[in-house]
Amino acid sequence: SDSVAAAAAVMEWEAEVGLETCEAGCTAESLTPLPAPFASLSVSAARAATAAPSPSETSTGPRAESRAAAMAQRAQFMTERLVEHKDELFERLSAADPYCTGCVVKVSWARNLLEVLTPHCEGLLSPAVVEELWAEWGLSEPVKYVRFLHRFQLRDSPADGSFLVDRIQAVTKLHAQLVNFSTMNLEHLLDPNGDKTVTRQEFSAFLPMFHVQVPPWQAAALYETMSNIVGQHPITLDSSILCLALVSQDPPESLSDALGLAAEAVGRQILGSGMTFAGAFRTWDTTHDGFLSLDELEVGLRSLPLAASPGGISPDEARACCQRLHSMTAHREKVSMFDFVRAVAPSELTLELQGTLIKEVLKHVWRCRPALLDALARADPDASNVIGLEAFKDCVWEINPHLERRGLHSLGEIQVNVICEIAAAGRDQVRYEDFLRGLHVEDVGAPLASPASAAGGATTPAAEPASVPAPTAAPLLLLPGLGGSRRHGRPG
């Protein structure tokens, strides 16, 4: 029948572009009518793009247009594979970055791209193709690999606008408004009941105060990410401030120069003294205005218990830390909590947060589309393309066995609800074919604005809401509550 033929075409396409079927029993005959393939790609077209152009193809005309279209398909094919294996690429690239600079050289970038993606590219990937992609993507050396991976995203495309929030972009927008914000007001808003913890509900209520609109379940997922990173539930107030201060798609700031290395050395000594970064900030803020003057900062650095001990902070390091903070704050006379934390926090924690926040929340749905469509078709025997939200949620739960058979993590309650929230786009029903057909990999391309520019300038305070050299310092101390880090320590 036409339905079976359409289903078979989709399954054939899935296999052709390298996506595994969800299980041996998931066949075309077990599926009811499916939407058209989710990308107009074919391996043959992508392979044609890798062939050397003939002289006639380098000029204008139909052949040149055909080759350009084939090259565009190849680029799309490669970006889809990149998104599917983004987590592995991040792990490989960060492992090639022993000092946690957030950057790798081109040779390392190319080698890891080839090693990770070649098994999934049907013989289409080669060093020559990687070189062409380098040029097509407009990359430069060194490669800021978090920014590179973040630019390729799995997106939805409902007719009334995307409901999927870019988590790094959302927190960067928040960060831009808080970078010059008094810690007194910040703490009151994050922790309104003053118990020194921030619950999921308090965090979700905090975001809209700064015009950062994140749907409830996606806000819960962001909170869960922070909770997992610091190993706390609920998250302490100081850990919440730490995470919010560090989120960015740019390389960690602390290792960009010698002053940055000195600031991070100060951070190690703060942790070694048993204080949190936010705790040290409060203690040194003797005027209790929610900021540190440079004089307060200098006095605070000299007061650290380890400052006079062997391996402690030297006078030169203390002065360098002050200079670093002075430069980061555009030479303002006062330092905010976010400025301070960003300067002294360990760079590996920044990378840990970045690697988690660039994960694709819809990747499991993307990879198990045939199984999900099968479940949805059984739940919608009239093929109406509309299903209630709770019924859709039951179908999403059904893909967990498929994920487990692939050796992938199964979906938890928050992840399932995030998928449902995006698919429903604020409604109580899901047009599931539209949702699945709309899934696509997008090169968002343009870099995010820096926190300073997003805030309208480094010296503009936020409005109050209405309601790479090898460091020689001692090995990095773990943050309280982290219980270990995937990043290896630095030589010391």
Side-chain angles (χ1 to χ4, degrees):
S1 69
D2 291 342
S3 298
V4 172
V10 171
M11 295 299 291
E12 180 182 359
W13 176 83
E14 294 280 4
E16 187 177 34
V17 297
L19 295 175
E20 305 157 297
T21 53
C22 290
E23 63 171 344
C26 185
T27 63
E29 288 74 15
S30 69
L31 302 174
T32 55
L34 301 180
F38 300 96
S40 57
L41 296 175
S42 70
V43 171
S44 59
R47 186 171 285 117
T50 66
S54 66
S56 63
E57 290 176 319
T58 59
S59 60
T60 59
R63 288 190 178 182
E65 292 175 359
S66 176
R67 176 167 175 76
M71 291 180 70
Q73 286 198 345
R74 181 192 66 182
Q76 180 68 14
F77 177 88
M78 294 302 176
T79 57
E80 290 186 3
R81 304 294 80 72
L82 188 152
V83 165
E84 289 170 4
H85 302 280
K86 184 184 289 188
D87 297 352
E88 185 180 355
L89 278 167
F90 175 81
E91 291 298 329
R92 293 287 293 270
L93 292 170
S94 60
D97 176 26
Y99 302 127
C100 306
T101 64
C103 299
V104 293
V105 296
K106 178 181 177 181
V107 170
S108 179
W109 170 87
R111 181 179 65 250
N112 283 288
L113 202 70
L114 282 164
E115 291 176 356
V116 172
L117 298 186
T118 295
H120 311 285
C121 286
E122 303 287 337
L124 298 175
L125 196 58
S126 67
V129 170
V130 169
E131 187 67 31
E132 290 177 10
L133 291 171
W134 172 275
E136 288 177 27
W137 289 334
L139 302 179
S140 59
E141 196 168 15
V143 180
K144 299 176 180 180
Y145 54 87
V146 172
R147 180 178 285 274
F148 165 71
L149 294 172
H150 180 246
R151 67 180 276 185
F152 303 106
Q153 299 180 19
L154 180 57
R155 306 292 306 176
D156 62 332
S157 58
D160 52 355
S162 175
F163 215 69
L164 171 60
V165 171
D166 182 333
R167 294 182 293 176
I168 285 186
Q169 192 174 41
V171 181
T172 299
K173 179 180 177 182
L174 176 66
H175 181 282
Q177 299 180 71
L178 295 179
V179 70
N180 299 324
F181 204 70
S182 165
T183 187
M184 311 296 288
N185 297 327
L186 172 64
E187 293 180 2
H188 174 70
L189 296 173
L190 264 175
D191 178 28
N193 64 0
D195 65 354
K196 303 302 180 185
T197 64
V198 178
T199 65
R200 194 174 88 186
Q201 293 72 25
E202 287 172 333
F203 180 74
S204 296
F206 172 76
L207 298 174
M209 296 178 186
F210 294 87
H211 310 290
V212 177
Q213 301 302 324
V214 181
W217 282 109
Q218 292 180 70
L222 178 56
Y223 180 90
E224 182 183 48
T225 294
M226 294 164 49
S227 176
N228 291 338
I229 289 290
V230 300
Q232 299 168 353
H233 191 83
I235 309 173
T236 65
L237 174 62
D238 288 2
S239 291
S240 300
I241 292 171
L242 173 66
C243 291
L244 292 174
L246 296 184
V247 172
S248 168
Q249 66 169 347
D250 291 316
E253 296 188 54
S254 58
L255 287 184
S256 59
D257 52 35
L259 298 181
L261 292 174
E264 191 165 302
V266 168
R268 285 192 290 269
Q269 299 304 326
I270 290 173
L271 295 178
S273 72
M275 290 189 290
T276 63
F277 301 128
F281 184 97
R282 291 188 203 96
T283 300
W284 300 353
D285 178 20
T286 55
T287 59
H288 305 293
D289 64 351
F291 295 92
L292 286 181
S293 68
L294 296 181
D295 287 341
E296 286 174 325
L297 177 62
E298 188 173 349
V299 170
L301 290 171
R302 290 202 303 265
S303 72
L304 282 173
L306 298 182
S309 65
I313 301 169
S314 69
D316 287 343
E317 285 178 320
R319 283 192 294 271
C321 183
C322 288
Q323 292 175 30
R324 173 64 171 168
L325 280 161
H326 197 214
S327 66
M328 285 178 62
T329 58
H331 303 284
R332 296 191 310 271
E333 293 303 315
K334 288 185 178 291
V335 174
S336 73
M337 174 78 84
F338 270 33
D339 288 328
F340 179 75
V341 172
R342 285 165 53 216
V344 302
S347 53
E348 48 258 63
L349 180 58
T350 300
L351 287 173
E352 187 87 15
L353 276 165
Q354 291 174 332
T356 302
L357 289 176
I358 64 174
K359 291 179 182 292
E360 299 291 343
V361 298
L362 295 174
K363 185 175 75 172
H364 287 340
V365 170
W366 168 266
R367 299 189 71 172
C368 281
R369 294 193 299 278
L372 180 56
L373 281 164
D374 183 40
L376 289 165
R378 286 186 274 106
D380 181 26
D382 296 331
S384 66
N385 181 34
V386 178
I387 193 172
L389 186 55
E390 288 302 315
F392 181 83
K393 183 184 299 185
D394 292 339
C395 293
V396 174
W397 280 113
E398 286 191 34
I399 71 174
N400 270 341
H402 305 276
L403 295 170
E404 292 164 3
R405 279 190 284 274
R406 291 181 173 194
L408 301 173
H409 291 297
S410 58
L411 298 169
E413 179 186 6
I414 290 180
Q415 292 169 301
V416 169
N417 279 291
V418 166
I419 292 167
C420 295
E421 183 177 70
I422 295 167
R427 297 181 290 267
D428 58 3
Q429 292 182 321
V430 177
R431 298 182 64 84
Y432 59 87
E433 285 191 2
D434 296 344
F435 166 64
L436 291 169
R437 187 185 296 115
L439 294 179
H440 65 286
V441 172
E442 185 176 326
D443 180 357
V444 299
L448 294 178
S450 66
S453 62
T459 59
T460 303
E464 301 286 342
S467 349
V468 201
T472 57
L476 181 69
L477 297 168
L478 293 178
L479 286 172
L482 282 179
S485 171
R486 67 167 183 81
R487 304 292 299 166
H488 40 80
R490 304 163 194 261

